[in-house]
Amino acid sequence: MGLPTLEFSDSFLDSPEFRERLQCHEVELERTNRFIKDLIKDGNMLISALRSLSLAVQRFSQSLQEFQFECIGDAETDDEINIAQSLKEFSQLLSTMEEERKRLIQNADDVLISPLERFRKEQIGAVKEGKKQFDKETERYYSVLEKHLSLSSKKKESQLHEADSQMSKDRQVFYDASLQYVFKIQEVQERKKFEFVEPLLAFLQGLFTFYHEGYELASEFEPYKQQLQFNLQNARNNFESTRAEVERLMKRIRSAEEDFKAPSCFTMEGFLYIQEKRPLGSVWTRYYCTYEKSSKMFTMSGTENGVANGTPEIFRLRSCVRRKTDSIDKRFCFDIEVVERHGVLTLQALSEANRRLWMEAMDGKEPVSVHPSPSSVTVLQTHLTSLHPSIQIYTLPSLNASTSTAPTDMQLDPNAWDNKTITSGLKDYFRCLAEPVLTYRLHKEFIKAAKYDDQKYRVRAIHALVYKLPEKNRTMLDLLTNHLLKVSSHSEQNLMTVSNLGMIFGPTLMRSQEETVAAMMNIKFQNIVVEIIIENHHKVFSAHPPRRSPPLLPRRTAPRARKTRNRRKTAIPPRSSRLPLPGPLLSSLQPSRLPLCPPPPPRCCLPWRSRSEETLPPLCHL
């Protein structure tokens, strides 16, 4: 129910009903006054919280801006560069949002707090002052009225006339105060409809502007987000394939740790304990030692907590002899003589296998030569002669198609053979070749070409390298990648994009001769090489490359920034060799797993058909 109407005529009557209606308005204005005070208090708290939030977001944005990803290897893929740059993109996005929030905070006092405070003080405060004046005049008027009515009728006519005239003036002052008070109450009740609500609307409009800014930035960020989702999924898939290879290498090394020799520029290196003679005996000190066979240089570096300490000592090896077990109370010992010192240095290896490796590297000799008797030599020769006719040598099949035992016109019936069986057999065939299709000799050159920034240069360089392959390798590569290109044309059904095919066949067609973690880290570039060959199949195999090699381009040294259209508008260049995102990826971005496509099972590839077929049916997952 609304407030009762105050009539000016009621001010003359000053009836109890008028006073009751007047009191309803006074209570309402007091309630409004308290509400505005609380609203101002809450508004100040909100602004303070927004200011604290803005500072926290700015610090978070600055942390993102300052951090720089460092990836393993001497070069980064496009995916890794975009992922590393993404933190700066996130920082820029947050900074742009905070610019709008800071404007909201700066205007909040002028837009919300000051108008509300002004309305409360000037308008509601004026009503309070009017009430004080009205109450004062009411009290004075009724006091004067009582005195006037108490005058005796026996007073002189002039005195009574003067008293009536004064009473009329006091009554008019009371009526004016009452009318003015009623007018002010009704004015404030009407003013609060807009002067109270307008500041709230202005503040909300600022919030809407801030949220709309976020919506615009999200729309502009969408292409970059989609590209980043591709990069993240590719990085995840590369991680899965690389991790499997690294884990396989780790298990292989673990199973042969006694005979394992780490790849190095030195013939042999590792920790050795060296006997150092002292006046009261001798001590065994651990050194990290290296030996280079061609120069016969032996180096000893002292260590402390595993870190090199001091200047290494360098000697030229003269001889190496295994130490007899009964000549020293330590195991796994051998003696060396060096040019720069007199006498021998006694060294202790970490195990018998480790001593054997050191002695093989140093051309070590046994302390006593044992010559077999003539009779034992005769027996051994007779035994070898008897075994000679049964010795057979087997080699893995080469790329020459004539070595295959299957007929050349063999057709695989897809109804009789499971797709996974056929595709797994195909991939195993390429994996088990003695040398990969993209040969060991050109491996480093292919990797180097994939590490350059310019996409056109990559294609030209890889095109030239393909024609350095043996003819049979190139023919086989042409046949396979032509098939895989057809496979990628059905990616909407089989999810096998060119990128996914590169991840599957990169380690198969272009494995490294060295089995090291560093080589495993280059699998991502192997994938890029195969991806480029598949995507540019017609260009690569339709014509020989130009005789003049493309000039070498500098490697990328810094991540590329996202292009901007104006203050914050962005235009994301489309990544070549990427197909449009499938529907589910556009709807959500889950941090744990991006739903681009499932990672490929390790032992399945694509159905293999005869090269003479014109088209291929939709193909299975790898």
Side-chain angles (χ1 to χ4, degrees):
M1 186 174 180
L3 294 170
T5 305
L6 296 176
E7 296 293 343
F8 290 118
S9 58
D10 290 338
S11 298
F12 297 102
L13 293 175
D14 197 21
S15 64
E17 290 80 5
F18 168 71
R19 290 283 180 163
E20 186 177 347
R21 290 195 296 272
L22 199 62
Q23 188 176 18
C24 290
H25 284 267
E26 291 170 351
V27 170
E28 169 59 23
L29 286 178
E30 182 59 31
R31 189 174 71 88
T32 302
N33 183 60
R34 290 196 303 270
F35 176 72
I36 292 177
K37 289 177 68 175
D38 292 340
L39 193 63
I40 291 173
K41 178 182 177 181
D42 294 339
N44 283 323
M45 291 177 61
L46 174 60
I47 293 170
S48 177
L50 288 174
R51 187 174 288 110
S52 298
L53 174 62
S54 180
L55 290 175
V57 173
Q58 290 175 50
R59 286 194 295 268
F60 181 72
S61 173
Q62 186 64 27
S63 298
L64 292 177
Q65 180 70 27
E66 293 173 355
F67 184 77
Q68 177 63 47
F69 271 108
E70 293 294 341
C71 299
I72 299 175
D74 59 350
E76 297 175 343
T77 64
D78 290 344
D79 296 323
E80 291 171 336
I81 289 173
N82 289 343
I83 290 172
Q85 178 67 16
S86 65
L87 297 189
K88 290 181 172 53
E89 295 291 340
F90 297 159
S91 174
Q92 179 184 352
L93 184 69
L94 292 174
S95 297
T96 306
M97 284 294 296
E98 288 316 300
E99 290 176 9
E100 193 63 41
R101 197 199 302 272
K102 284 190 287 187
R103 281 191 286 272
L104 171 66
I105 295 171
Q106 291 168 358
N107 296 332
D109 187 71
D110 296 334
V111 169
L112 178 66
I113 304 300
S114 295
L116 289 177
E117 188 65 29
R118 187 165 54 249
F119 175 77
R120 189 184 72 83
K121 289 182 177 180
E122 295 180 0
Q123 300 302 323
I124 299 180
V127 172
K128 288 184 176 182
E129 290 297 323
K131 176 176 172 52
K132 290 180 182 179
Q133 185 67 27
F134 175 68
D135 291 341
K136 178 181 177 181
E137 292 299 329
T138 298
E139 184 179 356
R140 193 178 72 83
Y141 168 71
Y142 282 111
S143 175
V144 171
L145 181 61
E146 287 181 3
K147 291 180 181 180
H148 180 69
L149 294 176
S150 300
L151 287 176
S152 173
S153 60
K154 296 179 180 181
K155 286 187 177 289
K156 293 180 180 181
E157 188 67 24
S158 60
Q159 290 178 337
L160 293 175
H161 182 72
E162 183 180 355
D164 289 342
S165 177
Q166 184 62 41
M167 188 65 223
S168 178
K169 290 180 181 179
D170 290 339
R171 183 182 295 110
Q172 189 61 45
V173 171
F174 168 69
Y175 287 161
D176 287 345
S178 178
L179 290 171
Q180 189 65 33
Y181 183 47
V182 169
F183 174 78
K184 191 61 182 178
I185 284 179
Q186 295 193 120
E187 179 189 22
V188 172
Q189 294 287 18
E190 293 299 313
R191 274 180 177 273
K192 75 177 182 181
K193 296 177 183 177
F194 52 91
E195 288 197 3
F196 173 36
V197 176
E198 277 180 346
L200 296 174
L201 176 61
F203 180 70
L204 289 177
Q205 183 61 38
L207 282 176
F208 296 155
T209 303
F210 171 72
Y211 294 141
H212 185 71
E213 178 77 5
Y215 171 78
E216 284 189 343
L217 286 175
S219 300
E220 297 162 6
F221 193 70
E222 185 66 22
Y224 181 81
K225 186 187 79 171
Q226 294 179 25
Q227 179 65 42
L228 183 59
Q229 287 173 321
F230 274 125
N231 301 143
L232 292 171
Q233 184 64 23
N234 289 338
R236 183 185 293 277
N237 290 342
N238 274 326
F239 164 76
E240 295 292 346
S241 61
T242 303
R243 181 180 181 275
E245 294 293 334
V246 172
E247 186 176 16
R248 191 178 298 114
L249 173 63
M250 178 188 69
K251 291 178 179 179
R252 190 158 54 249
I253 291 175
R254 180 186 296 168
S255 64
E257 62 175 325
E258 292 296 325
D259 298 321
F260 173 71
K261 176 182 175 299
S264 169
C265 58
F266 299 105
T267 308
M268 187 64 189
E269 63 179 313
F271 283 102
L272 291 172
Y273 285 83
I274 299 177
Q275 186 181 39
E276 296 181 347
K277 296 181 180 180
R278 302 289 172 84
L280 299 179
S282 62
V283 295
W284 293 82
T285 306
R286 190 173 74 156
Y287 286 86
Y288 192 81
C289 303
T290 63
Y291 178 69
E292 210 285 314
K293 190 170 186 176
S294 60
S295 61
K296 292 190 175 183
M297 300 307 297
F298 179 73
T299 303
M300 298 164 36
S301 300
T303 60
E304 183 176 353
N305 297 326
V307 180
N309 181 25
T311 305
E313 299 181 68
I314 303 175
F315 307 102
R316 183 180 297 277
L317 183 71
R318 180 177 291 166
S319 66
C320 172
V321 180
R322 181 178 67 83
R323 187 69 176 262
K324 288 183 178 181
T325 305
D326 56 1
S327 65
I328 193 170
D329 61 350
K330 296 285 187 179
R331 306 168 66 198
F332 322 130
C333 295
F334 60 99
D335 295 333
I336 64 171
E337 292 184 7
V338 296
V339 175
E340 291 78 7
R341 280 191 183 182
H342 296 290
V344 298
L345 290 174
T346 301
L347 288 70
Q348 183 183 26
L350 304 181
S351 65
E352 182 61 37
N354 186 243
R355 178 171 66 175
R356 184 176 66 252
L357 292 175
W358 276 103
M359 292 190 63
E360 288 176 357
M362 295 180 170
D363 296 325
K365 300 178 181 179
E366 291 296 320
V368 177
S369 299
V370 179
H371 300 283
S373 63
S375 59
S376 62
V377 172
T378 304
V379 172
L380 179 60
Q381 290 177 344
T382 304
H383 181 64
L384 291 175
T385 303
S386 64
L387 290 178
H388 179 72
S390 63
I391 294 177
Q392 304 268 346
I393 298 175
Y394 294 88
T395 60
L396 290 172
S398 67
L399 287 175
N400 190 342
S402 63
T403 62
S404 175
T405 57
T408 58
D409 59 349
M410 178 180 178
Q411 296 291 329
L412 295 177
D413 184 2
N415 298 322
W417 291 83
D418 177 69
N419 277 343
K420 291 185 178 181
T421 302
I422 299 173
T423 56
S424 179
L426 172 65
K427 199 169 69 171
D428 282 348
Y429 168 78
F430 286 107
R431 182 179 288 275
C432 293
L433 292 173
E435 187 176 33
V437 176
L438 301 177
T439 59
Y440 292 139
R441 182 177 62 87
L442 298 175
H443 181 88
K444 291 183 179 179
E445 293 188 51
F446 274 113
I447 294 294
K448 183 178 179 181
K451 287 182 178 180
Y452 285 96
D453 186 18
D454 187 81
Q455 179 69 17
K456 293 182 179 179
Y457 172 78
R458 291 185 202 171
V459 176
R460 291 161 58 195
I462 291 174
H463 186 186
L465 290 172
V466 166
Y467 279 82
K468 290 184 179 181
L469 292 170
E471 183 178 354
K472 294 175 182 178
N473 295 53
R474 190 167 63 252
T475 301
M476 179 64 77
L477 186 64
D478 180 10
L479 181 66
L480 176 61
T481 54
N482 181 60
H483 168 69
L484 297 180
L485 182 63
K486 294 178 182 178
V487 169
S488 67
S489 66
H490 298 280
S491 60
E492 292 185 0
Q493 291 80 29
N494 57 34
L495 300 182
M496 286 297 102
T497 63
V498 174
S499 176
N500 286 346
L501 290 170
M503 290 179 188
I504 295 299
F505 282 91
T508 301
L509 298 179
M510 195 184 163
R511 65 183 183 272
S512 172
Q513 190 171 14
E514 299 176 352
E515 292 188 314
T516 63
V517 174
M520 301 302 176
M521 292 299 107
N522 279 333
I523 288 179
K524 55 195 175 187
F525 295 106
Q526 297 172 192
N527 301 344
I528 291 175
V529 171
V530 175
E531 179 181 340
I532 289 175
I533 295 175
I534 295 173
E535 189 174 28
N536 299 274
H537 174 270
H538 298 307
K539 179 178 180 179
V540 170
F541 292 100
S542 62
H544 285 266
R547 291 184 179 180
R548 189 174 182 179
S549 300
L552 292 180
L553 300 177
R555 293 183 182 178
R556 185 185 299 113
T557 57
R560 296 172 296 181
R562 182 159 53 100
K563 296 180 181 179
T564 56
R565 294 197 295 270
N566 49 40
R567 180 171 67 89
R568 58 181 180 273
K569 303 290 184 182
T570 58
I572 307 303
R575 167 116 180 248
S576 61
S577 76
R578 294 290 184 266
L579 295 177
L581 280 165
L585 186 53
L586 293 173
S587 60
S588 65
L589 172 59
Q590 299 177 356
S592 60
R593 190 77 177 175
L594 300 180
L596 176 61
C597 63
R603 294 187 59 79
C604 177
C605 59
L606 301 172
W608 183 256
R609 296 293 182 95
S610 170
R611 188 182 182 187
S612 61
E613 292 185 22
E614 294 293 331
T615 59
L616 293 172
L619 298 157
C620 70
H621 290 64
L622 279 98

